[in-house]
């Protein structure tokens, strides 16, 4: 059964935190879908995942191409994704539904702690997903390192 991790970003930018989580997910052998809400953010992430760091990159693609089902990391705004995947990352408050993630290894919700709207959307997702019986963990970096602050089994 899936574990849902909520990451409350207050120190590091989204791009840096996402890169670390994607690297760990790929090391676990997972195919990952990153779901966002804006083309601008997905375009920026697309570029950064190819160009940084200079000594490496994370192979990925944007949804809508001929090889979506083969991408190890797929950046999308869509709910429907081609092919199987093991992890789903929500950024910018993109919605995650309990039934779509129930059989995944991990669902991750990254939200900006400096944006009240993002915090409220994350709280709403916590309520919906935990009410559906999914185990969830809330991680905060307020002290400068990641610490689990809450858990719902």
């Amino acid at each position: 059964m899936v574990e849902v991790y909520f990451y409350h970003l207050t120190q590091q930018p989204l791009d840096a935190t996402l890169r670390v989580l994607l690297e760990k997910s790929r090391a676990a052998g997972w195919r990952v879908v990153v779901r966002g809400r804006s083309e601008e953010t997905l375009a920026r992430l697309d570029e950064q995942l190819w160009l940084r760091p200079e000594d490496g990159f994370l192979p990925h693609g944007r949804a809508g191409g001929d090889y979506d089902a083969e991408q190890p990391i797929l950046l999308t705004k869509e709910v429907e994704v081609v092919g199987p995947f093991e992890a789903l990352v929500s950024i910018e408050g993109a919605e995650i539904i309990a039934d779509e993630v129930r059989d995944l290894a991990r669902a991750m919700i990254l939200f900006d702690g400096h944006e009240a709207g993002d915090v409220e959307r994350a709280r709403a997702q916590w309520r919906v997903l935990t009410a559906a019986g999914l185990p969830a963990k809330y991680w905060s970096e307020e002290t400068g390192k990641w610490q689990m602050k809450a858990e719902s089994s």
Side-chain angles (χ1 to χ4, degrees):
M1 175 183 273
V2 70
E3 289 185 296
V4 182
Y5 286 10
F6 288 76
Y7 292 97
H8 189 167
L9 306 175
T10 57
Q11 305 289 321
Q12 294 291 317
L14 168 68
D15 307 8
T17 302
L18 181 61
R19 174 172 281 285
V20 170
L21 294 174
L22 291 174
E23 288 171 349
K24 289 182 178 190
S25 296
R26 292 299 302 143
W30 298 340
R31 178 171 180 248
V32 185
V33 173
V34 177
R35 184 182 299 158
R37 294 171 56 130
S38 74
E39 285 297 326
E40 296 80 18
T41 299
L42 293 175
R44 187 185 80 245
L45 291 173
D46 181 29
E47 181 178 318
Q48 289 181 353
L49 292 176
W50 281 114
L51 300 177
R52 294 188 185 102
E54 291 182 17
D55 61 346
F57 68 96
L58 285 168
H60 69 283
R62 296 283 307 269
D66 292 336
Y67 302 101
D68 285 2
E70 298 168 23
Q71 296 295 340
I73 299 169
L74 186 66
L75 306 176
T76 185
K77 287 178 32 180
E78 305 302 321
V79 173
E80 295 294 322
V81 177
V82 178
F85 57 96
E86 292 76 33
L88 175 62
V89 180
S90 165
I91 60 173
E92 302 181 299
E95 187 175 2
I96 291 181
I97 300 167
D99 287 343
E100 76 177 317
V101 299
R102 199 172 298 281
D103 295 326
L104 298 180
R106 179 85 34 89
M108 295 165 265
I109 298 169
L110 282 64
F111 62 100
D112 187 338
H114 303 293
E115 296 291 331
D118 286 358
V119 173
E120 288 307 313
R121 279 191 291 276
R123 286 179 178 153
Q125 284 195 322
W126 175 277
R127 288 189 295 271
V128 168
L129 295 173
T130 57
L134 299 180
K137 294 180 180 178
Y138 165 74
W139 295 86
S140 172
E141 63 172 344
E142 67 186 350
T143 65
K145 67 177 191 168
W146 287 104
Q147 295 178 311
M148 187 175 57
K149 297 287 189 165
E151 183 173 11
S152 174
S153 305

